[in-house]
Amino acid sequence: MSRSNPRVLNTLERAGGFASAQEVYRLMQREGQSIGLTTVYRALQSLVNDKIVDILRREDGEAIYRLCGDSHHHHLVCKGCGDTIEIEGGAVEKWAKSLAEEHGFRDVGHTAEIFGLCSKC
Amino acid sequence: MSRSNPRVLNTLERAGGFASAQEVYRLMQREGQSIGLTTVYRALQSLVNDKIVDILRREDGEAIYRLCGDSHHHHLVCKGCGDTIEIEGGAVEKWAKSLAEEHGFRDVGHTAEIFGLCSKC
DNA sequence: TTTGATAATGATAATCATTTTCATTTGTGA
DNA sequence: TCACAAATGAAAATGATTATCATTATCAAA
């Protein structure tokens, strides 16, 4: 029962591999594709199950879906102006991996974001 | 206009310094304290502004408030059974600090969570 | 003490993402 | 063609959060 609707996956790809369910839905609507919001949610959930996309959270709690295989990176976010800088997370990758192993976890992912005030704010 | 209601702060402390707004509210209700949900949200928001608490997100997107000054730690969460292990994040602290400095950020915080399947799941 | 301005409170309604329900449609094999 | 399971999507339900707005508490000045 793979509900990984290819049109949804395709839209997520074209959205830069990083979008919320609502955004994917609105984008497909705008393009004239006929699809229901429910199906978008189901397709994304299915893609998550199949480990084709990751799920993260925006600051306001909205879920955003990230295509796996996208170059994995983290964010440095300014609490003042909202500016976001993509950063590498080498140290974090190693940290997450070694700790997970240490506790016998498998199939491991992680999130890591840094926030503060940028020099302008 | 400090709305940092001391009863809310006190309740958050007694909840282990780590709870959602709804939980703080329910706890106060159960204890017979008379308070409105709105006030709980406002008080927590105010505490965030005053940098007395941090705000993070549960996996389901619900906001949880963490008392600053609590011994800072991270979580290793099992996606299967929800089990959570508190872990040290030395490597992450350094990573966050050095990257923030590098980009001229100040007043810096961070989140980092690891999730996977524990040995039982 | 009375008055008045201002801030705090909380019940209620509105918002918004997400999930559930359920009837309908589609695909597929017999 | 028929039957049946899977997929779809409209509409309603859910649940956290936020906005409204009338009421109440505070407190300084008259």
Side-chain angles (χ1 to χ4, degrees), chain A residues 72-115:
Chain A
H72 180 64
H73 59 256
H74 298 275
H75 293 121
L76 178 54
V77 183
C78 176
K79 285 188 281 195
C81 59
D83 239 21
T84 300
I85 300 171
E86 291 190 3
I87 53 185
E88 291 301 315
V92 177
E93 317 299 325
K94 280 181 219 144
W95 169 77
K97 199 172 168 195
S98 74
L99 263 168
E101 273 171 14
E102 194 177 304
H103 287 88
F105 275 56
R106 62 215 143 76
D107 195 11
V108 174
H110 65 269
T111 64
E113 312 290 326
I114 311 176
F115 43 86

Side-chain angles (χ1 to χ4, degrees), chain B:
Chain B
M1 53 127 166
S2 169
R3 295 175 157 181
S4 305
N5 187 312
R7 287 190 296 147
V8 170
L9 176 55
N10 180 268
T11 305
L12 180 59
E13 275 167 358
R14 283 180 298 104
F18 212 78
S20 73
Q22 301 282 346
E23 283 164 359
V24 169
Y25 174 67
R26 282 194 290 268
L27 184 51
M28 295 181 80
Q29 292 282 299
R30 242 179 282 128
E31 289 175 345
Q33 295 197 54
S34 163
I35 195 161
L37 180 56
T38 313
T39 303
V40 173
Y41 271 102
R42 270 194 292 240
L44 288 171
Q45 192 51 58
S46 174
L47 288 165
V48 169
N49 290 341
D50 296 348
K51 301 184 203 319
I52 297 172
V53 312
D54 276 341
I55 180 169
L56 325 171
R57 293 278 162 188
R58 287 242 170 80
E59 186 135 5
D60 69 352
E62 188 176 358
I64 54 181
Y65 299 85
R66 176 182 62 186
L67 211 42
C68 293
D70 267 29
S71 81
H72 180 64
H73 59 254
H74 298 275
H75 292 119
L76 177 54
V77 183
C78 176
K79 285 187 284 194
C81 59
D83 239 22
T84 300
I85 300 170
E86 290 190 2
I87 52 183
E88 291 301 315
V92 177
E93 316 301 323
K94 279 180 221 144
W95 170 77
K97 199 171 169 198
S98 73
L99 262 167
E101 273 171 15
E102 195 176 303
H103 287 89
F105 275 56
R106 61 215 144 77
D107 193 12
V108 173
H110 65 270
T111 66
E113 311 292 324
I114 312 177
F115 43 86
L117 286 171
C118 75
S119 46
K120 285 171 296 188
C121 293

Side-chain angles (χ1 to χ4, degrees), chain A residues 30-114:
Chain A
R30 243 180 281 128
E31 290 176 344
Q33 295 196 53
S34 163
I35 196 162
L37 179 57
T38 314
T39 302
V40 172
Y41 272 101
R42 271 194 292 240
L44 288 171
Q45 192 51 57
S46 174
L47 289 165
V48 169
N49 291 340
D50 296 350
K51 303 186 202 318
I52 297 171
V53 313
D54 275 342
I55 181 169
L56 324 171
R57 293 278 161 188
R58 285 240 174 81
E59 187 135 3
D60 68 353
E62 187 176 357
I64 53 179
Y65 299 86
R66 176 181 61 186
L67 214 40
C68 293
D70 268 28
S71 80
H72 180 64
H73 59 256
H74 298 275
H75 293 121
L76 178 54
V77 183
C78 176
K79 285 188 281 195
C81 59
D83 239 21
T84 300
I85 300 171
E86 291 190 3
I87 53 185
E88 291 301 315
V92 177
E93 317 299 325
K94 280 181 219 144
W95 169 77
K97 199 172 168 195
S98 74
L99 263 168
E101 273 171 14
E102 194 177 304
H103 287 88
F105 275 56
R106 62 215 143 76
D107 195 11
V108 174
H110 65 269
T111 64
E113 312 290 326
I114 311 176

